[in-house]
Amino acid sequence: MKKIIFYITLCLLAYSCGELVPNPDKNPENITRENTNTENTSKKVNDFAIVIHGGAGTILKKNMTDEKEAEYKAKLEEAIRTGYTILKNGGSSLDAVEKTINVLEDSPLFNAGKGAVFTNAETNELDASIMDGKTLNAGASAGTKTVKNPINLARAIMEKSPHVMMAGEGAEKFAKEQNLELVSPNYFKTENRLKTLKRVIKKEQENTIENKSAFYDADIKDSKFGTVGCVALDKNGNLAAGTSTGGMTNKRYGRVGDVPIIGAGNYANNATCAVSGTGWGEFFIRATVAHDISALMEYKGLSLKAAAKEVIQKKVPNLGGNGGIIAVDKNGNMVMDFNTAGMYRASMDDKGELIVKIYSK
């Protein structure tokens, strides 16, 4: 009888201390679970939703004319309304993402497609990726120089090849076989981006002569930013994410950033969320930013907002990087989180409410 009472007492004590994680072999210390879900994520808030970004960095009001600000906002609105119309009419999230990014790629305002930045050799090398949250299929291209809309190539790779990523001449050959629009490399060249390249090269030379660290120079630091992206949830509950970029100003050696790397700059999973990133690519690769947000939701039970904050406001800065993300979860919750002075961004919900912003405040 004493043994029975003793056993019951032990059970009550264990219960009062918290729920013990099962499988003691994998958890020898019997660590207590914590409820890390900071908000109710089971409720559907939007039947469909779309979010876009046009790059993050030192984007300050004092450096922007009213005319230029209006131009950026108008293009962001044009792009997001393109995708919103597709979603509203029952179209797929993949179509919405691709067509929305096309608008941004065709504009010289953003570091993607027509507005791509220059490499050290004064060429333009473009990367892109797209992912289907329903199937977890994905496609990506890197280092192309003649494909007008890299996001279209990424989708073609996803749907019409057994591969996930193609690069350089091989990717361009595949694009030609798929009858995608090809252009002269001169199509991507803009005077503004060329001036930026020369300014960055000059700054680097000055810093080398003065033996100063280029990391602390705003122009050089911002040369690592860029990118456009879109995430969407359609009426059928399918998520998709797409990202496109001209990469890093003054890049060398065939450098490839996070954008075409699934899980780093782009990720979508119907079980959790769709994410597109923009920032210092090397750190987004090392932190596997896009997938990490999804993983925090799937394995730790965090809300989209909490997961994004953990990665963008803590993990990435702790590594020494910065940037931002846009995301939408399976219930239509939307997030636009960044740790820079600004991020070109916009969102629309199923009620048609439009939000367009540039600065942090």
Side-chain angles (χ1 to χ4, degrees), residues 148-334:
K148 181 175 182 287
N149 294 106
I151 194 67
N152 297 3
L153 173 56
R155 185 169 183 182
I157 291 170
M158 177 179 74
E159 295 180 339
K160 300 177 181 179
S161 86
H163 309 303
V164 171
M165 186 189 297
M166 296 182 187
E169 293 180 1
E172 293 182 336
K173 181 179 180 180
F174 181 76
K176 186 176 182 180
E177 291 174 354
Q178 298 303 314
N179 296 315
L180 298 180
E181 186 173 357
L182 303 179
V183 293
S184 164
N186 290 325
Y187 165 81
F188 301 105
K189 296 182 177 181
T190 59
E191 191 62 30
N192 183 49
R193 298 299 191 191
L194 187 58
K195 288 180 179 178
T196 300
L197 171 67
K198 292 179 178 179
R199 187 168 66 250
V200 168
I201 291 175
K202 183 179 179 181
K203 289 275 189 179
E204 282 191 341
Q205 292 171 342
E206 290 173 352
N207 283 334
T208 301
I209 293 171
E210 297 175 13
N211 196 29
K212 288 162 50 180
S213 171
F215 181 85
Y216 294 102
D217 188 287
D219 283 342
I220 296 175
K221 196 173 179 182
D222 269 6
S223 72
K224 299 172 176 63
F225 295 91
T227 309
V228 304
C230 177
V231 294
L233 169 70
D234 62 32
K235 290 182 178 181
N236 292 319
N238 294 319
L239 292 163
T243 315
S244 182
T245 188
M248 177 192 296
T249 300
N250 198 32
K251 64 182 177 182
R252 300 174 175 85
Y253 320 118
R255 178 263 187 186
V256 176
D258 63 304
V259 166
I261 299 177
I262 302 303
N266 203 61
Y267 191 75
N269 187 335
N270 275 10
T272 53
C273 63
V275 182
S276 173
T278 171
W280 194 336
E282 278 67 18
F283 292 94
F284 274 54
I285 294 171
R286 289 164 58 188
T288 56
V289 165
H291 179 266
D292 208 35
I293 291 171
S294 171
L296 285 170
M297 295 176 68
E298 184 173 3
Y299 304 131
K300 206 173 181 182
L302 266 64
S303 67
L304 175 61
K305 183 177 180 181
K309 183 178 180 180
E310 180 70 23
V311 175
I312 296 301
Q313 302 301 334
K314 295 181 182 179
K315 185 175 182 179
V316 173
N318 287 344
L319 287 175
N322 35 16
I325 60 95
I326 54 169
V328 59
D329 71 13
K330 63 182 181 179
N331 291 315
N333 294 292
M334 297 177 284

Side-chain angles (χ1 to χ4, degrees), residues 46 48-53 70 72-85 100 104 334 336 344-358:
N46 284 300
F48 65 93
I50 184 169
V51 194
I52 65 173
H53 70 74
Y72 272 109
K73 287 184 174 181
K75 187 57 65 175
L76 288 169
E77 180 173 349
E78 177 190 346
I80 200 167
R81 286 192 181 280
T82 298
Y84 173 81
T85 300
T100 297
L104 300 173
M334 297 177 284
M336 300 180 280
Y344 300 106
R345 60 202 189 276
S347 66
M348 288 189 77
D349 60 18
D350 60 3
K351 293 169 281 295
E353 182 181 351
L354 170 68
I355 295 175
V356 181
K357 293 185 177 181
I358 297 177

